């Protein structure tokens, strides 16, 4: 509740105090979609990049639950978009997995790295595809660099033809 958070902060509560699991008030507020609490904690200089024991951040929690307003507040506070949890997950991966298109769009606009991989070697695109979120997969594809074609190497026959042409030109 925002009023309780405000009273605690007015009485010098530490906004970065972590539970035995490493969670902070900001993480809990973000996970529950409590935008007013998120805003109050950020104004009190809560560290948006603290990670829980499992490596989760407030941004990951908000993205996982699809709380667009909390994601946007954390982005405005310059939360690190590309921090990875202990399993390598990111906020973008969590939003993609959950089918939270508005959060995915906000993260991509903020330049979240869509090419990071988790511990299984999967990207946000694979998280979206594995969960059947084709529209989100399409969005992510639009923000990833296209694969670079391999350098063209002329076939051996073509190189031999060029050598023969050069020899004929020299003879003429």
């Amino acid at each position: 509740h925002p009023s309780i958070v405000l009273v605690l902060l007015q009485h010098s509560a530490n906004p970065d105090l972590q539970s035995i699991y490493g969670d902070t008030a900001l993480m809990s507020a973000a996970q529950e979609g409590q935008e007013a609490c998120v805003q109050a904690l950020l104004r009190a200089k809560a560290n948006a990049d603290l990670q829980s024991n499992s490596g989760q951040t407030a941004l990951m929690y908000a993205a996982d639950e699809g709380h667009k307003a909390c994601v946007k507040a954390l982005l405005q506070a310059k939360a690190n978009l590309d921090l990875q949890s202990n399993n390598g997950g990111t906020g973008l991966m969590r939003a993609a997995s959950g089918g939270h298109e508005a959060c995915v769009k906000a993260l991509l606009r903020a330049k979240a790295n869509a090419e990071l991989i988790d511990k299984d070697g999967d990207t946000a695109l694979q998280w979206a595809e594995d969960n059947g979120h084709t529209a989100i997969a399409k969005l992510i594809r639009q923000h990833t660099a296209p694969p670079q074609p391999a350098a063209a190497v002329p076939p051996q026959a073509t190189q031999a033809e060029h050598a023969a042409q050069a020899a004929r030109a020299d003879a003429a």
Side-chain angles (χ1 to χ4, degrees):
H1 297 293
S3 58
I4 294 170
V5 169
L6 289 173
V7 168
L8 290 170
L9 292 172
Q10 288 168 351
H11 287 88
S12 303
N14 178 356
D16 292 330
L17 188 64
Q18 291 181 279
S19 73
I20 60 171
Y21 305 105
D23 292 326
T24 64
L26 182 60
M27 291 175 199
S28 296
Q31 185 174 28
E32 296 301 321
Q34 297 292 322
E35 182 191 4
C37 291
V38 167
Q39 294 283 5
L41 289 159
L42 291 171
R43 280 192 303 276
K45 307 293 185 218
N47 183 343
D49 293 332
L50 281 178
Q51 291 181 275
S52 69
N53 296 352
S54 62
Q56 305 298 320
T57 65
L59 183 61
M60 290 176 200
Y61 282 124
D64 189 47
E65 298 294 332
H67 299 306
K68 176 182 153 189
C70 293
V71 167
K72 285 189 170 187
L74 290 159
L75 293 175
Q76 288 173 346
K78 306 292 186 219
N80 185 330
L81 301 170
D82 297 324
L83 284 176
Q84 292 182 274
S85 67
N86 296 355
N87 72 356
T90 64
L92 180 59
M93 290 174 188
R94 304 285 294 271
S97 174
H100 306 300
E101 189 171 335
C103 293
V104 169
K105 284 180 178 178
L107 289 161
L108 290 172
R109 265 189 244 112
K111 308 284 187 228
N113 185 346
E115 296 179 14
L116 290 174
I117 58 170
D118 66 13
K119 297 250 176 165
D120 295 325
D122 293 331
T123 64
L125 175 61
Q126 285 143 334
W127 283 49
E129 289 174 339
D130 289 351
N131 288 283
H133 303 300
T134 54
I136 289 173
K138 182 179 178 183
L139 277 173
I140 294 170
R141 271 192 210 91
Q142 293 168 350
H143 283 82
T144 55
Q148 298 299 313
V153 177
Q156 292 300 328
T158 305
Q159 289 176 352
E161 288 172 21
H162 288 297
Q165 285 176 352
R168 284 191 298 270
D170 287 342

